[in-house]
């Protein structure tokens, strides 16, 4: 018997809903008819988001890939290849919140091991790749997320949480458990990738700099 958070591994059918259809129309306008297969990546993501809305588990079943292949006049295997190559697509059910921890060089040097351990401690997950018993969290190890200046990075679904450590990771997961989604970005007192505490150089305003010339 399927639990509410974990649908059957492969449903028998998939139909794009009205919201997804509207997104697909916008996506297809970006490509010539003869090159519409290039829309496979955004449409796979549209299908994944719909599964998240419908089931609470954002993933792409085979029947959705087959539907995309028909829409784009592609061989199904070509869609399968794309979906299985990129880690942004989940080809099996996941938890309500997808915890994706970068553990490559910059994040590792800045303490990503503590972030991984905090994720395990707070969710009860024993190993990377597993989903928590309550179905709320899936923990994944990912490659560089492209925000090295703000390492370590914990991506939750589509949001980047930056400058993480063990305690801030535990606090974030506790908030997610209550249904709260804290604002994404640095968890320290800095703006973007600016130095902590504010700018250290170029402290003058443009107006003041002009007056001093």
């Amino acid at each position: 018997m399927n639990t509410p958070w974990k649908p059957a591994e492969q449903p028998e059918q998939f139909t794009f809903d009205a919201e997804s259809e509207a997104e697909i129309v916008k996506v297809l306008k970006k490509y010539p008819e003869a090159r519409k297969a290039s829309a496979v990546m955004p449409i796979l993501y549209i299908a994944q988001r719909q599964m998240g809305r419908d089931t609470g588990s954002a993933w792409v079943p085979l029947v959705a890939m087959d539907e995309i292949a028909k829409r784009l006049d592609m061989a199904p295997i070509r869609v399968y290849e794309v979906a299985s190559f990129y880690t942004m697509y989940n080809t099996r059910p996941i938890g309500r919140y997808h915890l994706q921890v970068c553990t490559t060089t910059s994040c590792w040097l800045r303490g990503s091991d503590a972030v991984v351990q905090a994720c395990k401690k707070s969710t009860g997950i024993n190993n990377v790749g597993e989903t928590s018993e309550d179905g709320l969290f899936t923990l994944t190890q990912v490659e560089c997320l492209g925000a090295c200046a703000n390492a370590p990075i914990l991506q939750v679904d589509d949001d980047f949480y930056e400058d993480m450590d063990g305690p801030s990771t535990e606090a974030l997961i506790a908030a997610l458990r209550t249904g709260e989604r804290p604002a994404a970005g640095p968890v320290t007192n800095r703006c973007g990738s600016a130095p902590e505490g504010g700018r250290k150089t170029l402290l003058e305003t443009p107006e003041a700099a002009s007056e001093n010339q």
Side-chain angles (χ1 to χ4, degrees):
M1 180 177 180
N2 298 321
T3 58
W5 61 270
K6 187 175 182 181
E9 284 291 337
Q10 293 299 332
E12 295 182 0
Q13 60 183 7
F14 177 88
T15 303
F16 284 111
D17 61 21
E19 182 176 339
S20 294
E21 290 286 4
E23 291 184 70
I24 290 171
V25 169
K26 293 178 181 178
V27 167
L28 289 177
K29 287 180 179 178
K30 300 177 181 179
Y31 304 94
E33 177 65 23
R35 296 288 184 269
K36 64 182 180 182
S38 298
V40 63
M41 292 187 69
I43 295 181
L44 275 167
Y45 208 61
I46 289 170
Q48 180 164 283
R49 285 201 303 266
Q50 178 177 319
M51 286 294 290
R53 291 194 302 271
D54 292 347
T55 70
S57 178
W59 68 296
V60 190
L62 284 172
V63 285
M65 297 184 209
D66 292 340
E67 176 62 25
I68 292 169
K70 291 178 185 177
R71 292 288 186 96
L72 302 179
D73 294 328
M74 299 173 66
I77 186 61
R78 299 304 181 198
V79 182
Y80 303 163
E81 288 171 343
V82 174
S84 60
F85 181 80
Y86 293 99
T87 57
M88 65 186 285
Y89 305 117
N90 305 309
T91 55
R92 59 186 178 86
I94 63 169
R96 170 63 184 84
Y97 300 105
H98 193 186
L99 307 177
Q100 301 154 84
V101 186
C102 175
T103 58
T104 43
T105 308
S106 295
C107 285
W108 176 69
L109 288 171
R110 294 275 293 166
S112 62
D113 286 352
V115 176
V116 172
Q117 290 305 314
C119 286
K120 291 180 178 179
K121 175 184 175 183
S122 298
T123 63
I125 292 173
N126 293 316
N127 300 297
V128 171
E130 294 180 352
T131 296
S132 58
E133 286 293 330
D134 58 12
L136 281 178
F137 302 97
T138 294
L139 177 60
T140 303
Q141 178 178 307
V142 296
E143 296 299 314
C144 181
L145 293 172
C148 302
N150 295 73
I153 307 297
L154 171 58
Q155 182 179 351
V156 180
D157 303 329
D158 295 329
D159 294 327
F160 278 21
Y161 292 91
E162 305 163 353
D163 302 309
M164 301 297 287
D165 58 15
S168 61
T169 299
E170 292 181 25
L172 172 60
I173 292 174
L176 294 173
R177 280 192 181 281
T178 67
E180 176 189 353
R181 186 178 285 268
V187 297
T188 56
N189 64 336
R190 66 168 167 166
C191 179
S193 58
E196 202 169 338
R199 292 188 299 177
K200 308 300 181 185
T201 60
L202 301 176
L203 300 179
E204 290 183 315
T205 65
E207 293 79 8
S210 298
E211 292 175 0
N212 293 332
Q213 290 180 354

